[in-house]
Amino acid sequence: MSKWKRRRLLFLAEVHERRGTDPSDVLAGLHELAAEDPYDLEVLLTAAELLSDRAGRGTGTAREADLAASIALLHRCVPLVPPGHHDRGRVFNSLGQRLFMVAQGTDSPEPVAESVLAFREAVAATPHGDSMRQVNQFFLAVQLGELFERSGDRAAPVEAVQVAREGYATVPPGNELRPMFRTALITSLRHLAGATAQVEPLQEAVGLAREALSEAGSTSDRAGAQFDLVRALRALYDATTDARLLVEAVDLSEQCLAATPRRDPEFHTRRTRLASAVRLLAQDRRDPELMRRAIDLMRATIETPSAADEHADTLIDLIQSLASLHTMTDDPLALRDAELTARTALAAAPDPGPWRTQAQFTLAETLLYRSSVDARGADAVALHEALGLFQHVAAATPPDHGERGDRLWLLGVTLRDLARYGDGDTAAWRREARHVFAEAASAAGPPNVRIKNYQHLGAMEAALGDPHASLAAYEAAVALLPQLTPDWLSYRGNIIELRQIEGLPDGAAAAALELGRPERALELLELSRGILHGRTLEARDLRLLRHRSPELHAEFLRLRTALNSGARDGNGGIHGNGGNGGNDESWADLMGRIRNLDGMAGFLRAPSVQALRRHAEQGPVVVVNISERRCDALILRADAEQPVLTVPLTGLTQADVVAQLLRLTGAVFAAPNDPSLLIRRDAQRDLDAILRWLWDRVTSPVLDALGLTAPSSDTRPPPRIWWCPVGLMAYFPLHAAGHHDRGTQAGKATVMDRAVSSYTTTVRALAGRFGPPAAGTAPHTLVVAVPDAENAPALPGAAAEAAALAELLPNSLVLSGAQATYENVVRALPAHPVAHLSCHGLTFWENPAAGMLLLHDHLTRPLTVEQLSAMELPHADLAYLSACSTSHTHPHSADEALHITGAFQLAGYRRVIGTLWPVDDTTSVEITRATYADLTHGGSTPPRTELSAQSLHRAVRALRDRYPASPSLWAGYVHVGH
């Protein structure tokens, strides 16, 4: 073909590109040219761009074919533009754009990952100062964010922030790319926070969004900046649960929507964002009216024909909002509407495509939820329909999809529920569930997803009668725990991860016990509980490893990060059908090489029972394990021949524990607070009945096994015993169990009449974080008293306690009232081995890390669980927390002791006195005075902290002797640690 015809075809191609007309005849000529000269870069690029433009106007298979042909041509261009070639950036930019178009039609992260590779090359090929470099950086940052959302690759947001930050810094003010880069940077920071569960990136994102709002000139620009700030505030709220951020987000969303004309294309998107913010605020406040407002806003978007692009995500939000309204109100109409809306969404979803898969998944979730809350029991019809939908979802979800493990997990849960409640062959349902859980557990994915699938696999193997396979599955789940809480993950991030393993410790222990292996049961409990405390011990191992072998230390950190990022291969691609085997083998190989180093044989190993039994030399440690299959007490003793004694609790079931916990929760809050004398009396009777139940079902069999069958006396002082309750048992006052009737022989059938009790989260926790104080160290005491915290009820007992302790501890430092500030207390704690804090305690059910002691300036400088846990107080000895509910937390966090008492332990205190529930202000003063008078011989000596358990025991028992019918006054005080 002549040069003239070549020039004519290229000219016509440009005309078609500008007009958007069908270039078929030109494409035929270009293909003929390319066949004659396969190295003609301009012809190949032009043909690729024409095909891409036609694909943008097309639909269905024709669009897919044009895109595939365009990408094939661009791949032919790649060898023609080696590094340094002036068209290299153009080729890779075009390839990245085409791959992005492909990604829009699939859920798979693969085309997004390839697009990221292309844009990386485009950035590298474009010199600094060239405006196309900034364009390529922008698209690279956006695609990295998409890759994170699809695959969970935690390295992607790190790179995205770096790229977006560089681009933003190089774009001058006034350039149209500047606001786009700022938005990309804000989004990348949100993704980084999602990957690391750190708050700092979100705080930076909010700052950037506020900066954009302050620079906005026109009403339209201001509305856009408000919209970006709303998204950043929403993300920061998700991380902190600070409702003030949500209130601001709702207010800004309303302003933004009010300033946006209805004809503006952004109107519906902004209304949707307002609905989302209102929905979150409704959930935070559990406010049905707010939720109904959010639902109305969502319906308005869906009913607007011009808002078709908003329908998909809004329908999902609407379905979830209706389900939330049902949980708040128990209104069956809300649940019915959720299901009908889900069916409407599925009927409107194009087939095939990611939106249809999402619609199927949402309807299946709704049906599974309806089945679980059906008052008549599980709905087998709903379960069968959910099963079919989840099976379609699983078939449509690629092996490398970031959500495959979660989607398979819900499929397995549906099969499990059919085995429990459905008709048909129960064993067949269980076998199928076993297969699904096994596939999800072994597939590529982050540790948290694999762990919960292994956990359910263990339960399913037990139900199928294979205890060996059950134990193997639980052991596989526990073995993944060191990968679950990497050191780069924030404290709150670790809490979120650990919530997902609720039920793993007790299930693993039960599996070992069914095989008659109590020692292994105890080891598994130690590995799967108190993980945050264990991270402190792990940090010592890592410091030693870094000293022994910096190379292996770096490899350990790299591999653990990779495992938490979603199992990526060395080329930046994502593993497919190969599963997680390669990474499992890499992890095992690395552990072997580390443990072969001199002095590193115990690196991250399970603590052996022989190592643990030394912690029982001063008294037995009783681990109370409650599971669906069996209930037992494991008694750890110093006996080398039989260190673990199993006491089957045959009179106890998990259902009993749940029922009694509900009763306990109501009683402890009604006993001191209800205005009705009759209700307060009944609450005390309920508490007394619970203490009797605990004695009969739990503590009496344990004490009998230990030979503690009679009350102590003046000539035979009570021995020490440590209670280590697992899961929900952490809420019960095991130390106060018994029949406390005065003046009868039955009155001596109590724990506190036979032993001095302490608690521990795990056996390892008794080792202490820093060890005992140095010999000869004077136990200087810090007394903190806050009788009048702002926005809190007056606490006159705090001032009374401070006055009493000033007499008993004349050399103490007293910070009272306005002196009891965050700064003063935090500065004083390291210098005082003994700390007494008398103030209000505040716990947050959904965010235990935000629990706090109310100091004088708590509204501006709260002393939270997270901050306390991060402290390192090497001389800390005794903390006495005279405050309400310092040992209270969410059930998901019970095994981690994520509460104020546990935070003081993590900070380094060897022993902590705390409370299980709200305590009476007057009797708190009495117990405080009696405990310290005993510790100091009436004020004549410094506190003998090693006797704190005995001193508290005597003070509480004396109060019990006076008020045996009022357990709320004395049963809530606990001693934790040595």
Side-chain angles (χ1 to χ4, degrees), residues 271 275 291-301 303 318:
R271 180 167 57 189
M291 187 61 74
R292 290 187 178 97
R293 184 189 172 204
I295 289 169
D296 289 343
L297 286 164
M298 293 173 194
R299 290 194 193 282
T301 295
E303 291 165 3
L318 176 58

Side-chain angles (χ1 to χ4, degrees), residues 318-330:
L318 176 58
I319 295 161
Q320 294 172 345
S321 299
L322 287 164
S324 294
L325 182 61
H326 176 265
T327 63
M328 294 178 187
T329 63
D330 207 24

